[in-house]
């Protein structure tokens, strides 16, 4: 039994000794039991509302075999019913059918093909096999063995393996209430002081070496940009929808389509954030002609996937499949998208699951810190799409949401006259242009669209230490608001500053102060968020620190920021940052799938890949004086809002 965190779960671990013959069958078990919507545990426990979710995994070794099967539930679920249903579904469940087995085999084959075509993923998998058993080629033998498994073997093996004699029962319960009370710090304990330990300086190269690297990266980046931009066909349909077609062979032999669709205004979408989320989730889970199972089977057959997600006042739809199956699969997904059913049963299921996931204490250090910080920085009203996540409000909005509201939102706002589509992979560009005109060219909406933007606010410095449940670590989170967006002249200098501050990890200023000198943190990071539409930005710093060291962490971070303002960056740091950033920017251009990820935003902002060259040049030309000027201009610790959460903090006021 584990009593830590916020989840309620019951699980069974089935384990026996050495038996490699049954491993191909056991490898199929997780998907057979949990995949949507055909997994037996999913059908028996999730669709019936007995539990919120089901999970499964395996650990198959030359010395033993382990199958993990579990269910996550909420306080409103009956634990006894969860337990009895889980046991019955595993040890007394109905046999699997040929159709179910072939469905899982197809999915696993697709997953295996994707790994085989990804050099990094394949290298990692073969390395794991070498370490575990000394034979890298066993990976390919295992894939072949799974493909050859017969139905009788599956049912027989699982019936013999998933039995009480092999079972270890487990429970996960929330952190007990007595571990959520504030504690007094031991005053006798002398905390480590700042600068107690001399840091080992990161060995940096001569700036000229970095400058030579940067010159090469600039040259390579320009070559990649120019060669790829020639292949991209950009245009606009009759209704205003923009498209970018990138007909090119991808390294995984797949074709990708991304639709970004914008709709509504601040006023017309007020109090509709939850309904937008539900609409995106249900959009591709059933249509007038096709059930969820039909859609799942079609996706498996195409070796593909299609999913939608809400994004501000818009929605993103991602579609991908094997290139030879893309045309058919793409048309199929568009048919579903144009005729969604928004079934009451699916609506009720996602509503119930979402409410269950919200029914938790929210007492972990990182959760408490994040919520507290969001509340301190809030400038909008509840119901505004920009309003921060608030658990009780989210529950209320979900409870009030109806199936009719989802249907109404779709009918009112779902259109393509404020949309972008990018397609990357092997396809006939002329045929695709014709298809896009047919499918999207007349798909208009009458509702006005205006992007919901964020306002810049200078917050006064705050330092809040709040109570969380007992953990070995606390969470530090802070934000400094900056009036700079992606297109601001000072953006590149801030990107370099952030890299030196924390993004470069080992060699960064924060690494030296927080980890090397004072051993205060388990992990840390800094991030720079720059809005692409307005001059609004934020520098964020986070850290998981040894519980009880909150004051030291804050002091250390202030010390780093003040030193940065006072003394600036060094030439070595700057040139090293340029080289590393440029290396990453060049690497991104080596993979067509990364370029695909850039296209929709370029369409929306009327840019092309060529704009990367301009950005590269801006960034690499910056001097120490340029960056130090920008640091002095924007890095103002007197506006830093900080939150620390651990068991020594103050209970939040309700």
């Amino acid at each position: 039994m584990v009593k830590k965190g916020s989840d309620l779960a019951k699980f069974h671990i089935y384990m026996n000794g050495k038996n490699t013959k049954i491993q191909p069958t056991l490898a199929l078990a997780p998907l057979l039991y949990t995949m949507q919507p055909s997994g037996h545990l999913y059908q028996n426990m999730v669709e019936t509302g007995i539990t919120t979710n089901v999970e499964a995994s395996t650990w198959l070794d030359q010395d033993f075999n382990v199958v993990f099967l579990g269910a996550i539930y909420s306080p409103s679920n009956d634990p006894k019913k969860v337990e009895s249903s889980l046991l019955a579904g595993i040890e007394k469940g109905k046999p699997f059918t040929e159709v179910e087995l072939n469905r899982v085999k197809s999915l696993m084959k697709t997953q295996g093909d994707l790994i085989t075509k990804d050099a990094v993923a394949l290298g990692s998998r073969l390395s794991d096999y070498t370490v575990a058993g000394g034979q890298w080629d066993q990976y390919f033998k295992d894939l072949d063995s799974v493909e050859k498994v017969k139905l009788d073997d599956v049912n027989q093996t699982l019936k013999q393996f998933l039995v009480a004699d092999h079972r270890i029962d487990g429970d996960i319960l929330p952190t007990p209430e007595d571990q959520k009370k504030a504690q007094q710090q031991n005053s006798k304990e002398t905390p480590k002081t700042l600068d107690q330990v001399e840091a080992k300086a990161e060995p940096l190269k001569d700036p000229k070496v970095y400058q030579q690297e940067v010159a090469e990266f600039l040259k390579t980046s320009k070559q990649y940009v120019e060669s790829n931009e020639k292949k991209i066909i950009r245009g606009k349909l009759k209704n205003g929808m923009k498209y970018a077609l990138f007909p090119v062979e991808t390294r995984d032999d797949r074709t990708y389509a991304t639709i970004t669709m914008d709709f509504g205004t601040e006023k017309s979408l007020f109090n509709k954030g939850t309904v937008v989320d539900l609409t995106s989730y249900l959009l591709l889970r059933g249509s007038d002609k096709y059930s969820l199972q039909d859609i799942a089977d079609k996706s498996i057959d195409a070796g593909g996937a299609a999913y939608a997600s809400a994004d501000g006042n818009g929605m993103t739809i991602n579609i991908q499949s094997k290139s030879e199956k893309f045309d058919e699969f793409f048309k199929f997904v568009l048919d579903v998208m144009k005729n969604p059913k928004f079934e009451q049963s699916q609506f009720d299921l996602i509503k119930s699951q979402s409410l269950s996931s919200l029914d938790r204490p929210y007492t972990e250090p990182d959760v408490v810190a994040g919520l507290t910080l969001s509340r301190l920085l809030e400038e909008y009203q509840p119901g505004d799409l920009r309003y921060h996540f608030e658990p009780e409000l989210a529950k209320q909005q979900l409870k009030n949401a109806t199936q009719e509201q989802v249907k109404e939102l779709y009918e009112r706002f779902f259109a393509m006259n404020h949309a972008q589509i990018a397609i990357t992979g092997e396809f006939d560009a002329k045929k695709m242009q014709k298809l896009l005109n047919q499918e999207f060219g007349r798909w208009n909406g009458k509702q006005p669209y205006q992007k919901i933007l964020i306002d810049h606010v200078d917050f006064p410095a705050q330092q809040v230490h709040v109570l969380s449940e007992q953990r070995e670590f606390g969470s530090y989170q802070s934000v400094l608001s900056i009036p700079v967006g992606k297109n601001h002249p000072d953006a590149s200098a801030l990107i370099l500053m952030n890299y030196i501050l924390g993004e470069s990890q080992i060699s960064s200023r924060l690494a030296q102060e927080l980890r090397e000198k004072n051993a205060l943190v388990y992990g840390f990071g800094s991030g720079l968020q720059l809005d692409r539409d307005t001059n609004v930005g934020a520098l964020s710093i986070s850290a998981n620190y040894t519980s009880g060291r909150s004051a030291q962490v804050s002091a250390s971070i202030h010390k780093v920021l003040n030193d940065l303002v006072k003394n600036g960056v060094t030439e070595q740091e700057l040139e090293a940052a340029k080289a590393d950033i440029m290396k990453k920017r060049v690497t991104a251009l080596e993979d067509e799938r990364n370029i695909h990820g850039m296209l929709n935003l370029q369409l929306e902002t009327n840019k092309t890949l060529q704009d990367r060259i301009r950005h590269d040049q801006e960034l690499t030309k910056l001097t120490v004086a340029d960056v130090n000027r920008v640091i002095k201009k924007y890095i103002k610790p007197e506006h830093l809002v900080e939150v620390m959460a651990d068991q020594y903090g103050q209970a939040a006021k309700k």
Side-chain angles (χ1 to χ4, degrees), residues 374-390:
S374 296
R375 289 162 182 162
L376 291 173
L377 301 176
E378 187 54 75
E379 290 293 309
Y380 302 102
Q381 296 301 308
D384 192 300
L385 286 189
R386 294 161 293 190
Y387 191 75
H388 72 273
F389 168 73
E390 195 59 62

Side-chain angles (χ1 to χ4, degrees), residues 187-320:
S187 57
K188 292 179 183 177
E189 189 181 332
T190 309
K192 195 179 275 187
T193 56
L194 297 177
D195 298 321
Q196 187 173 325
V197 183
E198 274 302 313
K200 293 178 184 175
E202 179 73 11
L204 293 170
K205 303 174 194 171
D206 185 286
K208 288 177 182 174
V209 176
Y210 293 120
Q211 287 163 359
Q212 286 171 348
E213 290 176 7
V214 166
E216 283 300 312
F217 288 138
L218 278 168
K219 188 177 167 185
T220 309
S221 179
K222 192 175 180 190
Q223 287 169 346
Y224 279 147
V225 163
E226 289 175 346
S227 82
N228 282 304
E229 186 59 42
K230 285 176 187 173
K231 300 172 189 173
I232 299 168
I233 303 155
R234 302 170 194 268
K236 190 184 280 190
L237 305 181
K238 299 171 196 171
N239 62 345
M241 184 181 189
K242 298 173 183 176
Y243 64 83
L245 305 180
F246 188 23
V248 64
E249 187 179 339
T250 55
R251 56 193 64 201
D252 56 2
D253 299 326
R254 298 170 79 74
T255 296
Y256 297 82
T258 302
I259 303 167
T260 50
M261 181 182 56
D262 302 312
F263 55 83
T265 64
E266 179 186 332
K267 192 175 177 180
S268 66
L269 292 174
F270 194 82
N271 270 331
K272 289 186 173 66
T274 299
V275 180
V276 174
D277 285 336
L278 289 167
T279 307
S280 68
Y281 184 83
L282 294 166
L283 180 68
L284 302 176
R285 289 180 73 84
S287 72
D288 295 343
K289 285 193 287 187
Y290 302 108
S291 68
L292 178 56
Q293 190 62 68
D294 294 333
I295 295 165
D297 286 341
K298 195 77 175 176
S299 301
I300 291 167
D301 179 62
Y307 51 93
S309 57
D311 181 20
N313 58 320
M315 208 173 284
T316 300
I317 296 118
N318 288 289
I319 305 164
Q320 57 169 286

Side-chain angles (χ1 to χ4, degrees), residues 497 500 509 564 567-571 573-574 624 627-628 631:
M497 180 280 303
I500 294 164
R509 297 286 184 92
L564 207 54
N567 300 314
V569 302
T570 68
E571 190 181 9
E573 286 178 315
L574 182 63
V624 169
V627 175
N628 288 345
I631 290 171

